[in-house]
Amino acid sequence: MMEKIIGGIIILGVLILELSFVSSAHFVVGRVNEALDGTSPNDLEIVLWNYNNGLQDNLTDIVGSAGNSGQSNLYMVDCELLETACQMGDIISIKIFDNGDGGYFNSEEVNVTITGAGFDLAENLTLNSPPNITSIFVDDFVYLPAGEVDLIAGGQKLVSCVANVTELDGDSLQNPNASFFASGYFFETPDDNNYHYLNDTCNVDTGFGNENESQINCTFSLEYYSNPGSWDCQIVIEDIYGAKRNLTTNTNVNELLAVELINYVDYGLVEVNNVSSEAVLNVTNMGNVMVNLSLSGYGEVPEDDLAMKCLSGEIPVGFAKYNLTDSMGGELTYEQFEGNYTNLTKDPRIKELNLGARENDLENDKINETYWRIYVPADVAGTCSGAILFGAIKAQAI
Amino acid sequence: MVRKIILLILLLFVFGGLFFLGVNSFEIDHSYELVQGKNTVSFYGINPFYVEDLIKLNPDIEVVSYGNYDVSVGYINVFGGVGRNFVVSEGSYEIIVSRDISLILPNNE
């Protein structure tokens, strides 16, 4: 009899041991509504943590039928599985976190206090709608022709990139920024005046449109040596949950052909029947394409076949000569002058200079020296003056 | 004398364990009396059934769950039933009820 009692008690003991494997659970259940733009929260990950213990001790669930709840738009988490199991009175925080897609899938955060009930129902969450950039436009402030940016020789041209944004949740917008970059480059490319400009202080006009609309205005000061061709403007904006959106549009930066020269060439005092000393004339590329030069000259009126008109007498155009590449210092005989310099002509002659567009943002690295001399014939006296006509001609890239 | 001591130790072990676990209801036949709140219930010799069917027969059940350590499977009687409609078979479960009830098991007349 005693053996039977002991046997029964042992069976009971085993039963109790098995009971210890039934964990206590306290479920938090909640609903996640679709975003106002219609995006479903199903299959997104929800995170739950104890407000006081911090996010590092967290549990996750998948919203919808793929998760614990097995029901569309619902989630269900046993908060007793937290490393520090939840207890009555604890505040549990819940939200949907970014799944890595630029903060697209986020939600506000809700808190639920753990009660002594069988489970706790959290307040409904609504999936965040990221800001929606509905339109984007980029141009310089000369609107005709549209879609073209005309640079200013040696100067800066303001280009405006404007986007209209709808934020269905009515959230504030933050971190507006934009990049304007040449084809072949990207939003993240470091700034370089030839091909990339970043503006991270764009203006957000909340007075634009209705209560859910804003306008983002980003301006760029384009340098004259910005590469010609197709350029993209990309505007990026995010809401207070960090949900980002961007939109890109395209325009064309036109070629700018321009050179800068000093106002005059001073040959100094030259004796008759002598060749002047060499005058150096700097030619600076003030555009965005490689240039050659067209050169011609006149004394008083175009095509008068003169280089200079003097107080007494004239200097024929061919007596003014140039060398676009090599300098020859010191005094020259007429023969040396003839042999090393090219005659100025009354008609424009195109001469190869291959002066590229500026590349260095800190200093102009595209300045070429040109070298000039003039021969003064015997029957000339007094002060002389004339004109040298410089034209910029687009050179083919080497 | 030795047997009596062994018996005493076993009884202490069993009832001490019961006290430690805080079990509200514990039945090994097909009569399950549950009290309001958490109940740990062990089913033996029953025909398996879906938890959803159990809740349909016992609408005062709030939650049925089982699991251990890092896994918890539950079914909650809200929004028409939230959670996996798991099969209840022999074993132990936690059942939370909103009031004292006599549990009715499906297919276990």
Side-chain angles (χ1 to χ4, degrees):
Chain A
M1 179 63 182
M2 182 64 82
E3 284 83 0
K4 284 183 181 173
I5 294 171
I6 291 173
I9 291 170
I10 288 171
I11 290 169
L12 214 53
V14 170
L15 218 55
I16 290 167
L17 278 175
E18 189 176 316
L19 278 178
S20 66
F21 289 103
V22 180
S23 67
S24 184
H26 189 92
F27 288 98
V28 173
V29 184
R31 179 182 295 280
V32 185
N33 297 322
E34 278 86 6
L36 293 176
D37 66 2
T39 305
S40 167
N42 290 326
D43 298 328
L44 299 181
E45 192 174 73
I46 195 146
V47 181
L48 174 150
W49 70 98
N50 187 316
Y51 179 82
N52 290 320
N53 296 342
L55 196 51
Q56 65 279 2
D57 180 10
N58 69 71
L59 296 168
T60 61
D61 185 25
I62 304 295
V63 178
S65 55
N68 292 333
S69 75
Q71 301 286 337
S72 186
N73 289 56
L74 297 179
Y75 62 89
M76 169 180 162
V77 183
D78 177 7
C79 66
E80 295 210 3
L81 293 179
L82 284 167
E83 277 181 33
T84 305
C86 61
Q87 295 179 341
M88 197 154 50
D90 282 352
I91 297 171
I92 296 297
S93 301
I94 305 146
K95 75 174 288 187
I96 287 181
F97 262 119
D98 173 31
N99 72 344
D101 186 18
Y104 186 101
F105 300 116
N106 269 330
S107 73
E108 77 271 36
E109 191 177 306
V110 293
N111 292 327
V112 58
T113 303
I114 299 303
T115 65
F119 62 93
D120 283 299
L121 207 53
E123 199 180 314
N124 286 359
L125 281 168
T126 298
L127 187 63
N128 179 48
S129 293
N132 182 24
I133 303 177
T134 53
S135 65
I136 186 168
F137 174 78
V138 61
D139 209 345
D140 54 17
F141 286 84
V142 180
Y143 295 119
L144 287 174
E148 291 183 17
V149 174
D150 294 305
L151 301 173
I152 297 171
Q156 296 174 326
K157 183 64 172 279
L158 278 183
V159 169
S160 175
C161 194
V162 179
N164 294 340
V165 182
T166 302
E167 169 47 56
L168 292 173
D169 304 307
D171 298 329
S172 299
L173 299 174
Q174 61 184 16
N175 298 328
N177 58 70
S179 278
F180 191 50
F181 49 94
S183 176
Y185 297 91
F186 306 96
F187 186 92
E188 301 81 6
T189 303
D191 268 0
D192 185 299
N193 290 340
N194 286 105
Y195 50 78
H196 193 277
Y197 296 81
L198 170 71
N199 182 348
D200 56 6
T201 56
C202 298
N203 178 55
V204 178
D205 178 8
T206 53
F208 173 82
N210 65 35
E211 59 191 7
N212 291 330
E213 290 180 314
S214 301
Q215 188 169 72
I216 305 167
N217 198 326
C218 308
T219 53
F220 305 92
S221 291
L222 254 64
E223 291 286 350
Y224 61 90
Y225 53 95
S226 300
N227 291 350
S230 177
W231 282 61
D232 286 340
C233 178
Q234 184 176 72
I235 285 186
V236 181
I237 189 73
E238 63 183 66
D239 65 16
I240 52 170
Y241 297 113
K244 285 183 187 173
R245 272 292 180 88
N246 67 71
L247 197 62
T248 304
T249 190
N250 183 269
T251 190
N252 198 65
V253 173
N254 289 334
E255 289 182 349
L256 173 64
L257 202 54
V259 290
E260 181 188 70
L261 301 137
I262 57 170
N263 283 341
Y264 59 91
V265 183
D266 185 359
Y267 292 111
L269 197 61
V270 186
E271 298 281 334
V272 293
N273 296 321
N274 272 302
V275 177
S276 72
S277 57
E278 189 174 74
V280 178
L281 189 55
N282 287 336
V283 179
T284 307
N285 191 334
M286 287 294 181
N288 62 1
V289 291
M290 184 182 283
V291 293
N292 287 329
L293 292 178
S294 80
L295 296 169
S296 60
Y298 62 84
E300 197 168 34
V301 292
E303 298 186 358
D304 60 6
D305 227 8
L306 300 177
M308 286 192 170
K309 180 83 176 166
C310 302
L311 202 59
S312 170
E314 299 160 339
I315 303 174
V317 67
F319 283 178
K321 300 179 193 291
Y322 54 85
N323 187 322
L324 299 183
T325 52
D326 300 315
S327 168
M328 296 193 68
E331 291 183 3
L332 296 185
T333 63
Y334 185 78
E335 287 71 27
Q336 289 171 317
F337 176 52
E338 278 268 308
N340 292 286
Y341 290 79
T342 303
N343 288 3
L344 188 65
T345 53
K346 68 173 182 178
D347 301 316
R349 299 284 166 85
I350 296 169
K351 295 294 170 186
E352 205 169 74
L353 190 66
N354 290 325
L355 179 58
R358 179 174 163 180
E359 293 175 357
N360 189 330
D361 287 341
L362 302 177
E363 60 176 350
N364 197 332
D365 53 346
K366 299 298 176 184
I367 303 171
N368 263 22
E369 289 184 340
T370 60
Y371 310 100
W372 294 79
R373 287 180 190 258
I374 195 163
Y375 174 77
V376 180
D379 54 349
V380 167
T383 306
C384 302
S385 65
I388 303 170
L389 300 180
F390 283 82
I393 304 289
K394 183 185 172 188
Q396 296 303 316
I398 298 168
Chain B
M1 181 60 182
V2 174
R3 284 181 176 174
K4 282 182 182 174
I5 291 170
I6 292 170
L7 182 62
L8 192 65
I9 291 168
L10 284 172
L11 282 171
L12 277 172
F13 170 68
V14 169
F15 289 107
L18 280 173
F19 177 77
F20 178 75
L21 289 168
V23 175
N24 297 122
S25 175
F26 178 68
E27 306 278 347
I28 55 173
D29 60 19
H30 289 180
S31 169
Y32 301 90
E33 299 298 325
L34 306 187
V35 297
Q36 182 182 352
K38 287 187 178 181
N39 298 265
T40 303
V41 180
S42 287
F43 295 118
Y44 285 92
I46 60 163
N47 296 320
F49 51 83
Y50 283 106
V51 66
E52 200 173 275
D53 296 333
L54 178 69
I55 287 177
K56 277 179 189 162
L57 287 173
N58 303 273
D60 293 310
I61 292 177
E62 290 184 335
V63 182
V64 181
S65 66
Y66 69 94
N68 57 62
Y69 305 114
D70 58 347
V71 178
S72 187
V73 179
Y75 192 85
I76 302 173
N77 187 12
V78 68
F79 301 135
V82 176
R84 295 283 163 199
N85 185 18
F86 57 85
V87 172
V88 178
S89 57
E90 290 192 347
S92 297
Y93 298 85
E94 184 179 85
I95 302 178
I96 302 173
V97 290
S98 57
R99 64 180 183 89
D100 296 357
I101 61 165
S102 291
L103 197 64
I104 305 166
L105 301 187
N107 309 320
N108 284 276
E109 303 302 321

